Amino acid sequence: MLKAFLLFFLLPLLHVSRCFCHESVPPSERDSSCPASSRINHDDIGENPNLKKLESVARLIDESQRILVLTGAGTSVAAGIPDFRSPGIGLYDNLAKYKLPYAEAVFDVNYYRENPYPFVALCRDMYLALNKAQPTLTHYFLKALENHNKLLRIYTQNIDGLDVRAGISPRKVIECHGHFRTASCSKCWKAAPIDSVLKAILEDGQVPICEACGNPVKPDITFFGQALPAIFSDNIEPDTDKADLLLVFGTSLNVAPVSLIPSFVDPDIPRVLFNRDPVDMGNAKHQRDFFVEGDCDTNVRTVVELLGW
Ligand code: CNA
């Protein structure tokens, strides 16, 4: 009920602020009585500073059947796609040439209707990078979760389509912030043919215009101020109710309503954050949180070796 209430009010994409570590691992979770750890080859794993914690994580994965996954831009950084908020290298620190009133304006639907040129210019660079990118080790790990019948669903904030390109079934992936496969008007929401929209943006450097109302058209990636795709609200409540483990990868959890997903799972469900930075997952009632610091691919490699997959 609370989830439905929050989702109703937070359905439009919103920016929120977070920057703090939430970790509470009871001592019982910190030992290494992991069934998978009997298969460890320490020579292969090397000196991962998170090894003890990862043994507990591998045990949780081994024991779970309905793993819910939440991914963000950090999952695809190793594929050559910059994230938004990493200082210096993230997209938001490299937008000066567009003279935006604030960084997020480039993805704001109201701003786009008034001034579509910054997004159109950015889209050309972004789309080329997305097209060249190949799935990362973390994407293939998620595919392995599906192969082992452990994957309930992936909620991704990414718009790069790399989950499906890693071979994960589309029905297992919810693209919370949309994708580049379709397009529509930013005002009347009439669908427009994606091929001509991409041609206008990528080849001609032009703003695609809606034939019905004359406003700028854009690919169906979700902008701030826009509702999330219905597939998100249709599935989030049953999925968070069913989950027996939550894995979160490479996100600053700064964008609502996706940032609420970790607080939607029951407090007794373990939550694992794989991220370079500490991030608050919300809901202090959770007693079984793990923060695995560092690059997700590095830590996922260790988990895979611990699991013997
Ligand atoms: P963000 O706010 O840029 O946060 C990324 C987080 O990932 C940060 O906390 C980083 O420290 C962390 N990180 C970076 N690299 C790694 C790594 N290799 N391993 C582990 N952690 C890492 O991005 P969010 O995803 O939180 O923000 C949501 C936005 C980003 C969504 O609306 C996306 O559409 C948007 N986005 C998507 C892509 C993509 O599709 N690949 C790229 C850039 C931004």
Side-chain angles (χ1 to χ4, degrees):
M1 192 63 191
L2 179 64
K3 288 182 207 177
F5 176 81
L6 286 168
L7 284 169
F8 180 79
F9 285 102
L10 286 172
L11 212 52
L13 197 65
L14 284 178
H15 176 261
V16 293
S17 263
R18 293 164 179 272
C19 56
F20 130 146
C21 175
H22 180 86
E23 182 179 37
S24 52
V25 183
S28 60
E29 299 278 8
R30 289 182 194 155
D31 64 28
S32 61
S33 55
C34 170
S37 64
S38 60
R39 301 195 287 261
I40 300 173
N41 179 343
H42 283 275
D43 292 342
D44 289 350
I45 292 171
E47 286 303 300
N48 187 323
N50 296 314
L51 185 56
K52 275 260 172 285
K53 212 180 282 184
L54 289 170
E55 286 174 4
S56 300
V57 171
R59 180 179 60 206
L60 287 170
I61 292 171
D62 208 31
E63 290 166 353
S64 302
Q65 269 90 49
R66 295 176 307 282
I67 302 178
L68 190 65
V69 175
L70 167 56
T71 61
T75 318
S76 299
V77 163
I81 307 171
D83 65 8
F84 277 176
R85 295 177 182 82
S86 283
I89 48 173
L91 187 71
Y92 285 163
D93 273 358
N94 292 284
L95 295 173
K97 62 181 170 186
Y98 302 119
K99 299 188 173 32
L100 294 158
Y102 54 97
E104 286 88 356
V106 73
F107 297 114
D108 185 300
V109 73
N110 295 312
Y111 186 81
Y112 183 70
R113 283 181 203 130
E114 283 167 28
N115 180 11
Y117 293 98
F119 174 75
V120 166
L122 177 69
C123 189
R124 294 176 82 171
D125 295 341
M126 212 164 65
Y127 192 78
L128 294 177
L130 297 188
N131 244 3
K132 272 199 298 198
Q134 297 298 323
T136 64
L137 191 77
T138 300
H139 292 107
Y140 288 115
F141 167 67
L142 302 181
K143 171 63 187 160
L145 287 182
E146 183 182 20
N147 291 347
H148 285 81
N149 292 321
K150 289 178 177 291
L151 180 64
L152 174 61
R153 201 93 67 186
I154 300 170
Y155 283 75
T156 184
Q157 298 167 90
N158 295 341
I159 50 173
D160 54 32
L162 290 182
D163 307 273
V164 172
R165 282 179 46 203
I168 301 164
S169 314
R171 67 186 170 80
K172 290 284 183 184
V173 182
I174 295 195
E175 294 166 309
C176 307
H177 296 166
H179 51 72
F180 277 95
R181 295 187 297 278
T182 56
S184 40
C185 175
S186 61
K187 180 79 176 171
C188 73
W189 306 111
K190 187 177 182 333
I194 186 67
D195 289 347
S196 54
V197 168
L198 287 179
K199 180 179 178 304
I201 294 176
L202 304 177
E203 291 176 25
D204 311 332
Q206 300 284 322
V207 177
I209 296 297
C210 177
E211 286 178 1
C213 73
N215 277 286
V217 169
K218 66 173 191 57
D220 284 332
I221 57 175
T222 311
F223 276 23
F224 292 107
Q226 214 186 318
L228 267 62
I231 191 169
F232 175 83
S233 35
D234 290 349
N235 287 283
I236 189 64
E237 198 159 11
D239 281 351
T240 48
D241 285 350
K242 269 185 244 159
D244 57 5
L245 174 63
L246 175 71
L247 303 179
V248 180
F249 295 93
T251 175
S252 62
L253 291 177
N254 264 299
V255 180
V258 170
S259 57
L260 296 171
I261 292 177
S263 45
F264 283 170
V265 297
D266 278 355
D268 57 339
I269 300 300
R271 307 185 298 183
V272 185
L273 171 69
F274 293 84
N275 213 53
R276 278 186 185 159
D277 304 310
V279 171
D280 179 9
M281 287 197 280
N283 196 348
K285 280 193 232 149
H286 281 259
Q287 294 299 307
R288 302 177 73 196
D289 285 353
F290 296 79
F291 170 46
V292 183
E293 187 172 5
D295 283 8
C296 46
D297 280 5
T298 306
N299 289 310
V300 157
R301 188 185 300 278
T302 303
V303 169
V304 169
E305 286 169 6
L306 288 166
L307 286 162
W309 286 1

